[in-house]
Amino acid sequence: MNSIQQKVTDSLSTPKVEYPGNNVTLPLVSVIVPAYNCAQFLPEALDSILSQHYPNLEIIVVDDGSSDGSAENAEAYGSPVTVIRQKNQGPAAARNRGVRESHGEYLAFLDGDDVWLPGKLLAQMEYFASHKDVGIVYGNFKRWGMNEAGDYPPKEAFITPQPNGGIDNNEPGWIYHKLLLGNIVHIISAVIPRSLFDTLGGIDESLRVGEDYDFWLRASRLVQAHKLAIDVALYRTNPGSTTHIPRSINNEQVVLLRAVEKYGLASPSGVAISEEQIRARLFKLSFGHGYLHFWHGSPQVALLAFTDAIRHDRKQVKAFVYCFLSYLRCKFSRSTEPTH
């Protein structure tokens, strides 16, 4: 048993846990759980929070217009869980609503179909206690996909021996410039002070996808982030999730361009990425958006996306090929439309 697991076990019999070397009790953490039609998985998510055995937390489930009994499943837990119902408004609105109804000094988030791994919350809060200059503490997450039988393997299969504390030295401090190359912070893996959330004005509810990426980009302009060198969560991959639905707007690219226009390519520390790197990132986003629409969405959107990809990198032959094929598909679809 590693040190983190031992501390979690000890907390079962200790009404108040104190930081090592400090006479300060653990602060209240509000865990916000947006839930939309995830009744099948929600109990496992809530159990993973309660099994943290962190002695000072509140759990707020925001049911975002579910029709499958998700709210009822959460309400069955009684007093450890507060359930708020609202009409469907998307994950950003659900998280903001949960924060407004919460009381914690710190905030953590877990989607209703994902789970936390043992020791996550205690390890992060202990890190905050000794690193007052850090505004985001997050960790590794693992993707949790179905096996060949169409089932999700038990989460216990992902629990492996963990390092005895410490941070990932590849992701320290001011991370804005690294976020420009990809969202390295998953919202289910992070804990933040409530004051940071309030300062940023919450999560942008106009974004149905990419809202967490936008939040971390804005947050990384204000505070440092440290990544613990441990696995803290499992992200359940679902073919029917919103991230796999073709949308006409490339939200992640919109978020990225907005950040670059406002903040540039450098972190507050002065470390920056190059113009070549940002062009490569924009090419990847445009090509990926076009590829999704080429096979599963609109050929018109695909054509525009591949055209944009070519603008970012004219050396990528595959973009020209898919652009031409998208053009033919658009032309063919118009020629086969019925006339009146």
Side-chain angles (χ1 to χ4, degrees), residues 182-246:
N183 189 5
I184 59 177
V185 183
H186 198 300
I187 196 165
I188 67 173
S189 76
V191 177
I192 61 173
R194 183 192 198 90
S195 57
L196 174 61
F197 190 92
D198 292 341
T199 299
L200 291 170
I203 301 170
D204 187 346
E205 296 183 15
S206 70
L207 298 169
R208 299 286 285 205
V209 176
E211 74 285 349
D212 54 338
Y213 185 37
D214 171 75
F215 182 84
W216 298 125
L217 282 166
R218 291 186 288 128
S220 67
R221 302 298 308 177
L222 301 179
V223 298
Q224 295 188 51
H226 283 186
K227 179 181 180 182
L228 300 185
I230 58 173
D231 300 326
V232 298
L234 298 181
Y235 169 66
R236 194 186 303 267
T237 58
N238 182 350
S241 70
T242 57
T243 56
H244 293 88
I245 299 173

Side-chain angles (χ1 to χ4, degrees), residues 13-301:
S13 58
T14 307
K16 287 190 176 182
V17 178
E18 297 184 345
Y19 295 126
N22 294 279
N23 188 26
V24 182
T25 57
L26 295 170
L28 177 65
V29 177
S30 298
V31 185
I32 312 302
V33 183
Y36 176 67
N37 287 342
C38 57
Q40 176 185 0
F41 304 121
L42 186 56
E44 195 167 16
L46 296 177
D47 288 345
S48 76
I49 300 171
L50 293 169
S51 67
Q52 298 292 311
H53 299 298
Y54 185 85
N56 197 16
L57 63 78
E58 63 176 0
I59 304 171
I60 299 179
V61 174
V62 181
D63 182 78
D64 194 38
S66 297
S67 58
D68 68 342
S70 293
E72 289 79 3
N73 278 3
E75 288 169 342
Y77 279 78
S79 59
V81 178
T82 298
V83 180
I84 299 167
R85 299 177 187 235
Q86 65 178 29
K87 64 180 182 179
N88 182 255
Q89 300 175 57
R95 292 183 183 119
N96 285 343
R97 176 73 184 278
V99 173
R100 288 196 301 271
E101 302 288 342
S102 70
H103 307 89
E105 182 183 350
Y106 286 84
L107 302 172
F109 300 88
L110 181 65
D111 291 347
D113 55 353
D114 299 327
V115 299
W116 282 350
L117 294 176
K120 170 199 186 290
L121 197 55
L122 193 57
Q124 289 172 303
M125 295 310 299
E126 288 184 345
Y127 194 85
F128 268 122
S130 55
H131 298 81
K132 298 296 186 181
D133 58 331
V134 176
I136 302 168
V137 176
Y138 65 111
N140 298 309
F141 72 94
K142 291 183 176 179
R143 295 184 182 276
W144 191 12
M146 291 181 178
N147 56 27
E148 294 180 356
D151 301 318
Y152 288 96
K155 63 179 182 296
E156 288 75 17
F158 295 86
I159 300 175
T160 58
Q162 301 282 286
N164 292 322
I167 65 170
D168 183 341
N169 290 320
N170 293 318
E171 308 288 358
W174 297 102
I175 63 170
Y176 168 78
H177 64 289
K178 292 193 174 187
L179 283 167
L180 293 178
L181 301 178
N183 189 5
I184 59 177
V185 183
H186 198 300
I187 196 165
I188 67 173
S189 76
V191 177
I192 61 173
R194 183 192 198 90
S195 57
L196 174 61
F197 190 92
D198 292 341
T199 299
L200 291 170
I203 301 170
D204 187 346
E205 296 183 15
S206 70
L207 298 169
R208 299 286 285 205
V209 176
E211 74 285 349
D212 54 338
Y213 185 37
D214 171 75
F215 182 84
W216 298 125
L217 282 166
R218 291 186 288 128
S220 67
R221 302 298 308 177
L222 301 179
V223 298
Q224 295 188 51
H226 283 186
K227 179 181 180 182
L228 300 185
I230 58 173
D231 300 326
V232 298
L234 298 181
Y235 169 66
R236 194 186 303 267
T237 58
N238 182 350
S241 70
T242 57
T243 56
H244 293 88
I245 299 173
R247 298 177 181 273
S248 59
I249 299 175
N250 190 346
N251 278 17
E252 188 170 358
Q253 187 181 53
V254 169
V255 167
L256 176 61
L257 288 171
R258 186 165 66 182
V260 171
E261 181 179 358
K262 186 172 183 178
Y263 306 119
L265 301 181
S267 283
S269 62
V271 181
I273 64 170
S274 67
E275 293 284 350
E276 182 180 359
Q277 286 177 301
I278 197 64
R279 283 197 300 270
R281 168 83 165 129
L282 289 169
F283 172 85
K284 183 178 180 180
L285 289 175
S286 295
F287 186 87
H289 189 61
Y291 190 85
L292 180 62
H293 273 277
F294 182 83
W295 292 108
H296 305 291
S298 163
Q300 289 79 16
V301 174

